Amino acid sequence: MNNILIIEDDKELSNLLSELLQIEGFQCQQAFDGESGLTTARTQKFDIILLDIMLPKLNGLELLKHLRINNNTPVLMLTAKGGDIDKVVGLEVGADDYLAKPFNDRELIARIKALLRRTSVAIDHPTQFSPVLEHDDISLDNARQEVICQKNSIELTATEFSLLNELIRDKGTVLTKEHLSLQVLGKKLMPFDRSIDMHLSNLRKKLPERTDSRPRIKTVRGKGYLWINQ
């Protein structure tokens, strides 16, 4: 049974979310402010965290910054409708996905299941993904969700790991944002959605330079992204 932490200061909404998720077979725990949410997230193991942005004591963005120092638990950020700046900043500091309030129950469950699939890719798709994927100076261990580059461990979120996996498996091929959104985020690309761009930007920052100084990922204007083969 997957364990979910809900960090939401609206107790009525939090209770409703908890009831909905338990009906769907999830185990839930709740925190009603940022400080207690961060402590709970750090001291216990969760499969996913639902994180509201507007929280007392410590807001969701600051909480996420602190959490990402040493914790890569998938985070689904809950934002106010039209809170585009919060969405962008949230993705920059390590959120895996976001959902604007008010949201549909089915959409929430679909996003949660998509996030959980990213963390169990080797189990869910045993024929599609090799246990270990290697290319040049990078090694991806799908079973452990670990990345080694130039003999150093690289800390990636579940979404960044899935994105890197997708790019390397189709190295030398231009992958459209539409394709990456469906395969990595589990949702159709919507107008003005910059999620893939932000995750790519974070991934680029975390991967060390190639020894030949060439870029690892090329942006093909108007088409998508390409992992350079050689």
Side-chain angles (χ1 to χ4, degrees), residues 41 44 46-49 67-68 71-75 94 96:
Q44 299 181 45
F46 295 95
D47 297 292
I48 189 170
I49 296 172
L67 184 68
R68 282 297 181 241
N71 188 310
N72 288 324
T73 301
V75 172
D96 291 272

Side-chain angles (χ1 to χ4, degrees), residues 1-7 26-30 36-50 67-68 70-75 116 119-120 123 143-146 158:
M1 180 181 292
N2 294 114
N3 195 15
I4 296 179
L5 172 62
I6 303 169
I7 308 177
F26 298 106
Q27 182 175 323
C28 297
Q29 189 164 333
Q30 300 175 68
S36 64
L38 180 60
T39 299
T40 304
R42 281 176 163 173
T43 56
Q44 299 181 45
K45 181 174 175 55
F46 295 95
D47 297 292
I48 189 170
I49 296 172
L50 302 186
L67 184 68
R68 282 297 181 241
N70 56 8
N71 188 310
N72 288 324
T73 301
V75 172
L116 292 172
T119 60
S120 58
I123 297 173
R144 299 186 178 186
Q145 295 279 295
E146 291 179 350

Side-chain angles (χ1 to χ4, degrees), residues 122 125-134 140-143 165 169:
H125 305 283
T127 60
Q128 186 178 357
F129 294 91
S130 302
V132 177
L133 179 64
E134 296 184 343
L140 288 82
D141 187 326
N142 280 289
N165 211 326
R169 285 192 305 107

Side-chain angles (χ1 to χ4, degrees), residues 3-206:
N3 195 15
I4 296 179
L5 172 62
I6 303 169
I7 308 177
E8 165 65 67
D9 65 320
D10 184 331
K11 293 186 178 182
E12 183 177 355
L13 174 58
S14 183
N15 288 334
L16 287 172
L17 289 175
S18 181
E19 290 175 10
L20 169 66
L21 294 172
Q22 288 180 62
I23 291 172
E24 292 290 330
F26 298 106
Q27 182 175 323
C28 297
Q29 189 164 333
Q30 300 175 68
F32 302 111
D33 64 73
E35 288 183 358
S36 64
L38 180 60
T39 299
T40 304
R42 281 176 163 173
T43 56
Q44 299 181 45
K45 181 174 175 55
F46 295 95
D47 297 292
I48 189 170
I49 296 172
L50 302 186
L51 175 63
D52 186 32
I53 293 296
M54 302 301 292
L55 292 169
K57 298 186 180 180
L58 185 68
N59 71 54
L61 294 176
E62 288 299 318
L63 187 159
L64 189 55
K65 286 181 185 178
H66 291 298
L67 184 68
R68 282 297 181 241
I69 294 173
N70 56 8
N71 188 310
N72 288 324
T73 301
V75 172
L76 176 58
M77 190 172 57
L78 305 178
T79 69
K81 187 176 182 179
D84 294 330
I85 294 177
D86 286 343
K87 295 172 186 175
V88 171
V89 175
L91 292 171
E92 284 181 340
V93 298
D96 291 272
D97 200 359
Y98 61 82
L99 195 57
K101 299 177 182 177
F103 44 78
N104 180 276
D105 291 351
R106 292 298 96 196
E107 178 69 10
L108 173 65
I109 297 301
R111 295 290 185 88
I112 288 173
K113 289 182 177 179
L115 266 176
L116 292 172
R117 282 195 297 271
R118 291 175 219 171
T119 60
S120 58
V121 67
I123 297 173
D124 291 344
H125 305 283
T127 60
Q128 186 178 357
F129 294 91
S130 302
V132 177
L133 179 64
E134 296 184 343
H135 177 69
D136 292 338
D137 57 355
I138 294 182
S139 174
L140 288 82
D141 187 326
N142 280 289
R144 299 186 178 186
Q145 295 279 295
E146 291 179 350
V147 176
I148 302 295
C149 184
Q150 296 176 3
K151 299 182 179 180
N152 294 312
S153 178
I154 308 297
E155 292 292 328
L156 300 181
T157 66
T159 300
E160 292 161 359
F161 184 94
S162 182
L163 182 57
L164 179 60
N165 211 326
E166 192 73 20
L167 289 165
I168 293 180
R169 285 192 305 107
D170 290 320
K171 55 186 178 291
T173 301
V174 177
L175 301 179
T176 65
K177 292 182 184 180
E178 290 81 0
H179 171 86
L180 291 171
S181 185
L182 282 171
Q183 295 300 315
V184 176
L185 302 182
K187 62 180 181 180
K188 291 183 179 180
L189 184 69
M190 302 299 291
F192 311 112
D193 188 343
R194 296 188 57 208
S195 299
I196 288 295
D197 301 307
M198 297 308 304
H199 290 306
L200 251 300
S201 175
N202 291 340
L203 187 58
R204 280 175 164 144
K205 292 174 185 176
K206 291 182 178 182

